[in-house]
Structures are given as C-alpha cells and as structure tokens.
Amino acid sequence: EPEVTQTPSHQVTQMGQEVILRCVPISNHLYFYWYRQILGQKVEFLVSFYNNEISEKSEIFDDQFSVERPDGSNFTLKIRSTKLEDSAMYFCASSEERGDSYNEQFFGPGTRLTVL
Amino acid sequence: KNQVEQSPQSLIILEGKNCTLQCNYTVSPFSNLRWYKQDTGRGPVSLTIMTFSENTKSNGRYTATLDADTKQSSLHITASQLSDSASYICVVSLFRDYKLSFGAGTTVTVRA
C-alpha cells in the first residue's frame, strides 16, 4: 500500500540554524500539506501546496518557513532560522483532491524537530 | 473562530469493553468530518470520513455518528483491544478549504 514517507525521523539543531524536512508524498497525489504538533498539543495546519504553489497557509507559516517541490517527487519544508518554539513533530500529508473533498489525507510518520 | 472540541480528554477502559468519544464543532461552512487514530509518535491514520448528509459510518469495530444540526459527532469503539490504545482525533474540513482543523484528541488506554 502506498504511503507518505518523511526524513529524517528525528532532527536536532541549534537555535538559529536552518533545517530542511523532507517528504515523499504518494505518487499520484496532487495536494501536499505540512502540519505540526507541539508536544502535548493538537495538530496544527501550516501550509498546503498545489500546482507548484502555496494554496493556503496559516499564521504560523511566517517568513521563516518555505516549501518547495524541487524534483517532482520530494516535498520539503525549510525553516530558515530555527527558534526554540519550533520544536515539534512535523507531519507531511498528501491527498488526491482538496481538503474539503470527500477524500482522505494520508499522513507521513513525522519528523521530530528538537531545537536546542 | 472555528473550533473542534473533544471529550473526554482521556479515558481508560478494560479490554473487551465499549467506549464512546465525543466531538463538538463550530466550524462553518462545514464540508466533512473525519476521525483519525494516532499512535504515539506516529502520524494520524484516517478511520472514517462523513459529509453533512451522512449520519453514521463504520470501519470495523469503529462506528462514527454525525448530527450536522447540533454539530456533534461521536466515535464508538466496540469490544476494545489493546491495540486500540491511541489518541483519537476529530478533524473537520471547511467548504472550499484546503486545510483540516484538528481537535485536541481523546487518549484511550485499553488495559488487559
């Protein structure tokens, strides 16, 4: 069964450093998402991506964040200058259709980002 | 503000017993409601998806109900198993929207 994969599973970085989180969505999916979950809190939407551009983003997704689909298979989230409060589990998701459709979003296993 | 509220926050049940989790939402305009299961340290996995016209949806021992008039949903777990220990998250989608709005989840612990 196809699945969303994410690398690395755990990333430790120093405050102020740049990190890139990588995701490989399911191959025939067209919509891609990043979510984050701070320890003990609920999952929060960051950004959605469709047709090689951002389709929607939350207030969390500020200028420090960027997304890219560099090669047609990978989908990346970059945090330019990490802060302590960026420590969280980051989930990538993909779907065949838009979120309001009767269509499942498949989530990856997540990358745990720890900022020291 | 669009909200998804779940109760209880956590519960403990004995293996073989049933339980029901609740979800209230104020999300509007509503498109669909999903229940996800999230094992510790893993990504959420979809259990059910319902639109406003659907009242109930089953997936094995999981049965979800939806009352779009009162904006309430429930997830019933029948004959619980140890593997049901997880967080169960109510997730709502808005019409013409890309993102999903998550509840805080109910942590279910099944004990032998």
Side-chain angles (χ1 to χ4, degrees):
Chain A
E1 185 174 334
E3 59 182 11
V4 177
T5 59
Q6 291 185 242
T7 55
S9 58
H10 192 187
Q11 173 92 45
V12 181
T13 189
Q14 296 290 326
M15 189 170 55
Q17 294 297 304
E18 174 184 288
V19 295
I20 297 176
L21 310 183
R22 292 183 166 80
C23 167
V24 179
I26 294 173
S27 60
N28 64 327
H29 286 184
L30 302 176
Y31 296 83
F32 314 112
Y33 314 84
W34 283 101
Y35 293 83
R36 80 172 186 189
Q37 186 175 30
I38 295 171
L39 187 63
Q41 298 186 22
K42 62 183 175 183
V43 177
E44 300 172 289
F45 169 79
L46 292 178
V47 66
S48 61
F49 192 85
Y50 170 70
N51 200 26
N52 283 318
E53 61 182 25
I54 290 174
S55 47
E56 188 173 357
K57 61 183 181 179
S58 72
E59 59 273 15
I60 302 169
F61 194 87
D62 60 23
D63 292 344
Q64 293 299 312
F65 291 88
S66 62
V67 289
E68 193 177 32
R69 190 157 161 79
D71 57 12
S73 60
N74 289 284
F75 179 51
T76 63
L77 174 69
K78 181 192 290 187
I79 308 175
R80 270 182 262 283
S81 178
T82 51
K83 303 187 283 283
L84 294 176
E85 54 264 38
D86 293 328
S87 295
M89 183 76 103
Y90 288 81
F91 294 108
C92 173
S94 69
S95 63
E96 290 182 357
E97 296 178 25
R98 198 171 64 188
D100 63 341
S101 70
Y102 195 78
N103 197 256
E104 186 171 343
Q105 281 191 24
F106 292 83
F107 284 77
T111 292
R112 179 165 296 285
L113 176 64
T114 302
V115 182
L116 303 177
Chain B
K1 185 177 178 179
N2 292 316
Q3 298 270 24
V4 182
E5 303 290 339
Q6 292 188 242
S7 63
Q9 189 174 27
S10 63
L11 65 92
I12 300 171
I13 57 174
L14 293 176
E15 189 178 14
K17 299 297 185 183
N18 305 334
C19 67
T20 300
L21 317 179
Q22 301 292 339
C23 173
N24 298 326
Y25 62 92
T26 59
V27 166
S28 181
F30 171 83
S31 176
N32 58 66
L33 185 145
R34 308 151 189 246
W35 282 93
Y36 279 86
K37 178 184 179 187
Q38 185 179 23
D39 292 314
T40 302
R42 305 293 296 174
V45 175
S46 178
L47 295 175
T48 62
I49 302 175
M50 292 184 290
T51 66
F52 64 89
S53 61
E54 296 178 287
N55 300 121
T56 185
K57 181 70 69 76
S58 290
N59 178 0
R61 295 179 296 101
Y62 301 103
T63 299
T65 65
L66 174 64
D67 185 334
D69 292 330
T70 62
K71 298 186 178 180
Q72 296 179 325
S73 177
S74 67
L75 179 70
H76 186 77
I77 305 175
T78 303
S80 59
Q81 300 176 357
L82 296 177
S83 59
D84 292 333
S85 295
S87 179
Y88 291 84
I89 309 173
C90 178
V91 183
V92 182
S93 169
L94 280 76
F95 183 65
R96 291 196 178 280
D97 209 356
Y98 290 89
K99 63 180 180 291
L100 303 177
S101 296
F102 285 73
T106 293
T107 301
V108 174
T109 303
V110 182
R111 290 194 174 156

